[in-house]
Amino acid sequence: MDSGREHPWVMSTSLAAAMTLGLVPGRFHRGAELGCINLLQAYEDGCRSNCTYCGMARERAAEPEGRTFIRVPWPVYPLDVLIDRSRAVSHRVRRVCVGMVTHPRALEDAIAVIARYRRETDMLVSALVAASLFHSRADVEALREAGADRVAVAIDAATPELFDAHRGRGSGSPHSWEHSWRVLQWCVEVFGRGNAGVHLIVGLGETEREMIATIQRAHDLGALTHLFSFFPEAGSRLQDLEPPPLGQYRRVQLARYIIDEDLGRMEAMRFNARGQVVDFGLDIEPLLAEGKAFMTSGCPDETGEVACNRPFGNERPSGPLRNYPFPLEAGDLADVRQQLWEGLAADERGA
């Protein structure tokens, strides 16, 4: 390992995190504030996966400093600098997420970074894992022993077929649908119910019914869903695919909130022949008036409020916003109320 250039002694960080840490200049649209420092492993030979939608895909050749991921650049910094700057902002940014890529050293290196953050800062630490690198429950236990209090598994696609096409063998990646769920089960067992999460991306070709069924499966397992809206990465194989319609994303967001907050279940919801939600099985008016269902879903801080709010990670700041990184204002609430039923006939809309 080249201690000067390679991970774990250097890492990528999101543009939002680099701004929050004072490493690059910039201001957040509408006064948004980042609640979690998102880090990602940076190897010179890159990620070994080749997911069709990902800016880090193996076939998307670029130097680590030139890659984008979840729409924005992820500049590379020495870990010492990131830890030092994290200490300086830890009074207002309470969590860091250590993200893994698919690489032979990734698990060992993630454990080292988690341990350093717990030893040298007072921040909470999450781990975002690449499931194919985990061979037993003991691998998950090592993350907890290093100091992580939460963990998430990137499954992304809602069905086995879409997973295989975009993240598994069909894409030239090593990931397995069955093994990813097995690792998520280990994560729930090791970290406890509600302390493990799954990343899911709306807009890879699934129906609303299929995505909501996967959210319900994760919830029944004891995991929360961290929901993303697909956004095309230039140079990826899905660079020409459009983001999902707003109506589709809003309905899945609301269903996720209902399920994860134990307000209802998929079985009580009604779907039309196209697999779209037409009734959520309960009075949604209080949820529309509150708006929390449409805020970013991610790991929380000590108070239980979402820390990993990823400002503008799914869209351009000019909008329309898909995951709100702050409480919705009156105009936002009016927008989501209108967007919720887009793509449905008036006579299909339920309660």
Side-chain angles (χ1 to χ4, degrees):
M1 180 182 296
D2 179 349
S3 61
R5 297 188 65 189
E6 286 250 315
H7 188 77
W9 313 122
V10 302
M11 291 199 79
S12 296
T13 189
S14 68
L15 179 60
M19 290 166 54
T20 299
L21 294 174
L23 294 167
V24 299
R27 293 186 301 171
F28 287 105
H29 178 61
R30 289 183 57 177
E33 293 184 356
L34 182 69
C36 175
I37 301 300
N38 300 102
L39 305 180
L40 188 66
Q41 293 172 330
Y43 295 104
E44 289 190 344
D45 52 349
C47 182
R48 303 296 174 86
S49 292
N50 200 38
C51 303
T52 61
Y53 48 85
C54 184
M56 306 301 290
R58 184 179 67 246
E59 291 181 358
R60 189 190 184 211
E63 292 299 316
E65 292 85 350
R67 296 181 181 131
T68 59
F69 179 60
I70 317 179
R71 201 188 65 78
V72 297
W74 284 62
V76 178
Y77 299 100
L79 184 61
D80 289 342
V81 171
L82 294 168
I83 289 177
D84 182 63
R85 295 295 184 99
S86 295
R87 280 197 298 263
V89 301
S90 63
H91 62 289
R92 57 187 176 87
V93 183
R94 299 298 303 134
R95 181 173 288 280
V96 61
C97 179
V98 178
M100 294 172 58
V101 300
T102 308
H103 191 280
R105 293 208 310 269
L107 177 56
E108 175 187 357
D109 290 347
I111 290 169
V113 172
I114 291 167
R116 279 200 62 185
Y117 256 92
R118 288 302 298 148
R119 186 170 63 247
E120 300 178 32
T121 78
D122 63 353
M123 300 176 76
L124 301 169
V125 184
S126 300
L128 173 59
V129 307
S132 60
L133 303 177
F134 288 71
H135 304 295
S136 70
R137 176 175 160 156
D139 291 335
V140 178
E141 291 171 345
L143 295 176
R144 186 188 61 183
E145 291 165 3
D149 72 304
R150 290 192 174 248
V151 64
V153 179
I155 293 181
D156 295 348
T159 71
E161 296 77 15
L162 289 171
F163 184 100
D164 184 71
H166 296 294
R167 189 165 172 77
R169 289 176 298 176
S171 69
S173 293
H175 305 302
S176 157
W177 171 263
E178 293 80 8
H179 184 67
S180 296
W181 285 96
R182 186 180 306 117
V183 172
L184 183 60
Q185 175 70 61
W186 293 338
C187 290
V188 173
E189 292 171 359
V190 171
F191 284 85
R193 295 182 65 87
N195 294 320
V198 57
H199 282 203
L200 294 173
I201 300 174
V202 176
L204 294 178
E206 77 290 340
T207 66
E208 294 168 30
R209 180 196 290 271
E210 289 169 334
M211 179 58 76
I212 294 167
T214 302
I215 293 169
Q216 187 69 63
R217 176 180 178 179
H219 179 76
D220 291 347
L221 194 64
L224 302 175
T225 292
H226 304 167
L227 198 66
F228 295 75
S229 177
F230 171 78
F231 191 97
E233 295 275 4
S236 71
R237 278 185 277 175
L238 294 188
Q239 67 176 355
D240 297 322
L241 182 66
E242 291 293 322
L246 268 172
Q248 176 185 349
Y249 193 62
R250 294 293 183 228
R251 290 187 289 274
V252 175
Q253 278 182 306
L254 185 54
R256 180 213 65 84
Y257 187 80
I258 289 168
I259 291 168
D260 274 0
E261 296 296 318
D262 284 317
L263 302 175
R265 294 183 57 84
M266 177 189 176
E267 291 85 351
M269 301 177 189
R270 290 194 300 110
F271 301 84
N272 63 19
R274 293 169 289 170
Q276 296 171 300
V277 187
V278 298
D279 193 310
F280 291 89
L282 49 77
D283 178 11
I284 63 173
E285 185 56 36
L287 304 181
L288 296 180
E290 177 189 58
K292 281 190 175 181
F294 309 102
M295 293 175 64
T296 308
S297 51
C299 291
D301 60 20
E302 297 101 325
T303 71
E305 295 298 318
V306 170
C308 189
N309 60 341
R310 309 182 298 274
F312 318 115
N314 287 180
E315 64 282 303
R316 294 181 175 87
S318 57
L321 300 186
R322 291 175 180 256
N323 290 342
Y324 284 84
F326 38 62
L328 280 69
E329 298 176 354
D332 304 321
L333 294 171
D335 287 342
V336 299
R337 187 183 294 273
Q338 176 179 341
Q339 294 158 357
L340 181 67
W341 299 118
E342 288 180 2
L344 295 179
D347 58 358
E348 289 182 308
R349 302 174 186 179

